[in-house]
mmCIF file of all heavy atoms in Angstrom:
data_model
loop_
_atom_site.group_PDB
_atom_site.id
_atom_site.type_symbol
_atom_site.label_atom_id
_atom_site.label_comp_id
_atom_site.label_asym_id
_atom_site.label_seq_id
_atom_site.Cartn_x
_atom_site.Cartn_y
_atom_site.Cartn_z
ATOM 1 N N VAL B 90 148.762 -65.585 142.851
ATOM 2 C CA VAL B 90 150.136 -65.194 143.150
ATOM 3 C C VAL B 90 150.999 -65.490 141.928
ATOM 4 O O VAL B 90 150.991 -66.613 141.402
ATOM 5 C CB VAL B 90 150.691 -65.952 144.380
ATOM 6 C CG1 VAL B 90 152.078 -65.448 144.729
ATOM 7 C CG2 VAL B 90 149.762 -65.797 145.578
ATOM 8 N N GLY B 91 151.716 -64.490 141.459
ATOM 9 C CA GLY B 91 152.635 -64.690 140.339
ATOM 10 C C GLY B 91 153.773 -65.608 140.756
ATOM 11 O O GLY B 91 154.225 -65.577 141.902
ATOM 12 N N ALA B 92 154.239 -66.414 139.812
ATOM 13 C CA ALA B 92 155.238 -67.429 140.147
ATOM 14 C C ALA B 92 156.528 -66.810 140.686
ATOM 15 O O ALA B 92 157.209 -67.397 141.517
ATOM 16 C CB ALA B 92 155.543 -68.281 138.919
ATOM 17 N N MET B 93 156.871 -65.601 140.232
ATOM 18 C CA MET B 93 158.123 -64.974 140.661
ATOM 19 C C MET B 93 157.956 -64.118 141.922
ATOM 20 O O MET B 93 158.851 -63.348 142.272
ATOM 21 C CB MET B 93 158.706 -64.128 139.527
ATOM 22 C CG MET B 93 159.468 -64.929 138.485
ATOM 23 S SD MET B 93 160.907 -65.791 139.173
ATOM 24 C CE MET B 93 162.000 -64.405 139.497
ATOM 25 N N THR B 94 156.823 -64.230 142.588
ATOM 26 C CA THR B 94 156.650 -63.498 143.839
ATOM 27 C C THR B 94 157.628 -64.028 144.880
ATOM 28 O O THR B 94 157.721 -65.233 145.102
ATOM 29 C CB THR B 94 155.191 -63.661 144.330
ATOM 30 O OG1 THR B 94 154.323 -63.219 143.281
ATOM 31 C CG2 THR B 94 154.945 -62.861 145.588
ATOM 32 N N ARG B 95 158.378 -63.120 145.486
ATOM 33 C CA ARG B 95 159.395 -63.535 146.473
ATOM 34 C C ARG B 95 158.724 -64.080 147.729
ATOM 35 O O ARG B 95 157.694 -63.559 148.171
ATOM 36 C CB ARG B 95 160.269 -62.355 146.880
ATOM 37 C CG ARG B 95 160.872 -61.572 145.746
ATOM 38 C CD ARG B 95 162.135 -62.158 145.224
ATOM 39 N NE ARG B 95 162.518 -61.431 144.020
ATOM 40 C CZ ARG B 95 163.349 -61.894 143.092
ATOM 41 N NH1 ARG B 95 163.893 -63.086 143.219
ATOM 42 N NH2 ARG B 95 163.644 -61.193 142.036
ATOM 43 N N GLN B 96 159.374 -65.053 148.319
ATOM 44 C CA GLN B 96 158.867 -65.601 149.580
ATOM 45 C C GLN B 96 158.795 -64.508 150.639
ATOM 46 O O GLN B 96 157.861 -64.458 151.438
ATOM 47 C CB GLN B 96 159.766 -66.757 150.025
ATOM 48 C CG GLN B 96 159.648 -67.958 149.083
ATOM 49 C CD GLN B 96 160.855 -68.865 149.099
ATOM 50 O OE1 GLN B 96 161.781 -68.688 149.904
ATOM 51 N NE2 GLN B 96 160.868 -69.856 148.230
ATOM 52 N N LEU B 99 155.582 -62.644 150.273
ATOM 53 C CA LEU B 99 154.439 -63.388 150.824
ATOM 54 C C LEU B 99 154.402 -63.223 152.339
ATOM 55 O O LEU B 99 153.342 -63.087 152.950
ATOM 56 C CB LEU B 99 154.565 -64.885 150.525
ATOM 57 C CG LEU B 99 154.380 -65.388 149.106
ATOM 58 C CD1 LEU B 99 154.590 -66.891 149.075
ATOM 59 C CD2 LEU B 99 152.985 -65.054 148.599
ATOM 60 N N LEU B 112 149.332 -69.816 154.269
ATOM 61 C CA LEU B 112 150.475 -69.641 153.372
ATOM 62 C C LEU B 112 151.565 -68.823 154.069
ATOM 63 O O LEU B 112 152.762 -69.101 153.949
ATOM 64 C CB LEU B 112 149.992 -68.938 152.100
ATOM 65 C CG LEU B 112 150.908 -68.958 150.889
ATOM 66 C CD1 LEU B 112 151.252 -70.378 150.479
ATOM 67 C CD2 LEU B 112 150.253 -68.209 149.728
ATOM 68 N N GLY B 128 164.252 -66.109 147.102
ATOM 69 C CA GLY B 128 163.486 -67.307 146.751
ATOM 70 C C GLY B 128 162.048 -66.953 146.412
ATOM 71 O O GLY B 128 161.480 -66.006 146.951
ATOM 72 N N THR B 129 161.451 -67.709 145.500
ATOM 73 C CA THR B 129 160.103 -67.390 145.019
ATOM 74 C C THR B 129 159.129 -68.540 145.312
ATOM 75 O O THR B 129 159.551 -69.682 145.539
ATOM 76 C CB THR B 129 160.111 -67.158 143.498
ATOM 77 O OG1 THR B 129 160.485 -68.388 142.855
ATOM 78 C CG2 THR B 129 161.100 -66.060 143.105
ATOM 79 N N LEU B 130 157.845 -68.219 145.262
ATOM 80 C CA LEU B 130 156.820 -69.256 145.421
ATOM 81 C C LEU B 130 156.921 -70.265 144.276
ATOM 82 O O LEU B 130 156.960 -71.474 144.489
ATOM 83 C CB LEU B 130 155.427 -68.614 145.440
ATOM 84 C CG LEU B 130 154.257 -69.601 145.432
ATOM 85 C CD1 LEU B 130 154.283 -70.481 146.678
ATOM 86 C CD2 LEU B 130 152.924 -68.874 145.318
ATOM 87 N N GLY B 131 156.991 -69.745 143.045
ATOM 88 C CA GLY B 131 157.028 -70.645 141.893
ATOM 89 C C GLY B 131 158.271 -71.519 141.888
ATOM 90 O O GLY B 131 158.206 -72.699 141.549
ATOM 91 N N GLY B 132 159.383 -70.936 142.299
ATOM 92 C CA GLY B 132 160.629 -71.704 142.346
ATOM 93 C C GLY B 132 160.525 -72.872 143.304
ATOM 94 O O GLY B 132 160.936 -73.989 142.998
ATOM 95 N N SER B 133 159.945 -72.620 144.462
ATOM 96 C CA SER B 133 159.808 -73.681 145.454
ATOM 97 C C SER B 133 158.871 -74.774 144.939
ATOM 98 O O SER B 133 159.152 -75.972 145.088
ATOM 99 C CB SER B 133 159.280 -73.092 146.766
ATOM 100 O OG SER B 133 159.050 -74.117 147.687
ATOM 101 N N LEU B 134 157.763 -74.375 144.315
ATOM 102 C CA LEU B 134 156.822 -75.373 143.804
ATOM 103 C C LEU B 134 157.447 -76.182 142.671
ATOM 104 O O LEU B 134 157.213 -77.383 142.548
ATOM 105 C CB LEU B 134 155.533 -74.691 143.327
ATOM 106 C CG LEU B 134 154.694 -74.035 144.431
ATOM 107 C CD1 LEU B 134 153.496 -73.310 143.833
ATOM 108 C CD2 LEU B 134 154.221 -75.061 145.447
ATOM 109 N N CYS B 135 158.254 -75.530 141.826
ATOM 110 C CA CYS B 135 158.865 -76.247 140.707
ATOM 111 C C CYS B 135 159.989 -77.177 141.161
ATOM 112 O O CYS B 135 160.127 -78.280 140.655
ATOM 113 C CB CYS B 135 159.409 -75.261 139.674
ATOM 114 S SG CYS B 135 158.106 -74.535 138.681
ATOM 115 N N LEU B 143 156.070 -74.718 151.315
ATOM 116 C CA LEU B 143 155.089 -74.083 150.431
ATOM 117 C C LEU B 143 154.314 -75.111 149.622
ATOM 118 O O LEU B 143 153.157 -74.895 149.268
ATOM 119 C CB LEU B 143 155.793 -73.070 149.511
ATOM 120 C CG LEU B 143 156.342 -71.849 150.258
ATOM 121 C CD1 LEU B 143 157.203 -70.991 149.337
ATOM 122 C CD2 LEU B 143 155.205 -71.025 150.855
ATOM 123 N N ALA B 147 150.343 -75.480 149.775
ATOM 124 C CA ALA B 147 149.590 -75.465 148.515
ATOM 125 C C ALA B 147 148.704 -76.701 148.407
ATOM 126 O O ALA B 147 147.594 -76.655 147.876
ATOM 127 C CB ALA B 147 150.549 -75.389 147.330
ATOM 128 N N LEU B 186 155.861 -72.435 134.705
ATOM 129 C CA LEU B 186 154.865 -72.066 135.714
ATOM 130 C C LEU B 186 154.834 -70.540 135.794
ATOM 131 O O LEU B 186 155.861 -69.907 136.028
ATOM 132 C CB LEU B 186 155.268 -72.654 137.069
ATOM 133 C CG LEU B 186 154.379 -72.280 138.256
ATOM 134 C CD1 LEU B 186 152.979 -72.833 138.090
ATOM 135 C CD2 LEU B 186 154.995 -72.775 139.562
ATOM 136 N N ILE B 189 150.025 -69.070 140.397
ATOM 137 C CA ILE B 189 149.424 -70.076 141.264
ATOM 138 C C ILE B 189 148.132 -69.491 141.812
ATOM 139 O O ILE B 189 148.095 -68.327 142.220
ATOM 140 C CB ILE B 189 150.370 -70.466 142.430
ATOM 141 C CG1 ILE B 189 151.703 -70.991 141.882
ATOM 142 C CG2 ILE B 189 149.740 -71.543 143.313
ATOM 143 C CD1 ILE B 189 152.784 -69.973 141.707
ATOM 144 N N PHE B 191 145.011 -69.948 144.605
ATOM 145 C CA PHE B 191 144.591 -70.612 145.837
ATOM 146 C C PHE B 191 143.124 -70.272 146.081
ATOM 147 O O PHE B 191 142.809 -69.132 146.441
ATOM 148 C CB PHE B 191 145.414 -70.103 147.026
ATOM 149 C CG PHE B 191 146.887 -70.351 146.918
ATOM 150 C CD1 PHE B 191 147.728 -69.395 146.353
ATOM 151 C CD2 PHE B 191 147.455 -71.524 147.383
ATOM 152 C CE1 PHE B 191 149.100 -69.602 146.259
ATOM 153 C CE2 PHE B 191 148.823 -71.744 147.292
ATOM 154 C CZ PHE B 191 149.651 -70.786 146.738
#
Side-chain angles (χ1 to χ4, degrees):
Chain B
V90 184
M93 279 298 289
T94 304
R95 309 276 172 200
Q96 292 156 6
L99 289 179
L112 195 57
T129 64
L130 173 62
S133 175
L134 294 176
C135 284
L143 292 171
L186 176 65
I189 302 92
F191 299 92

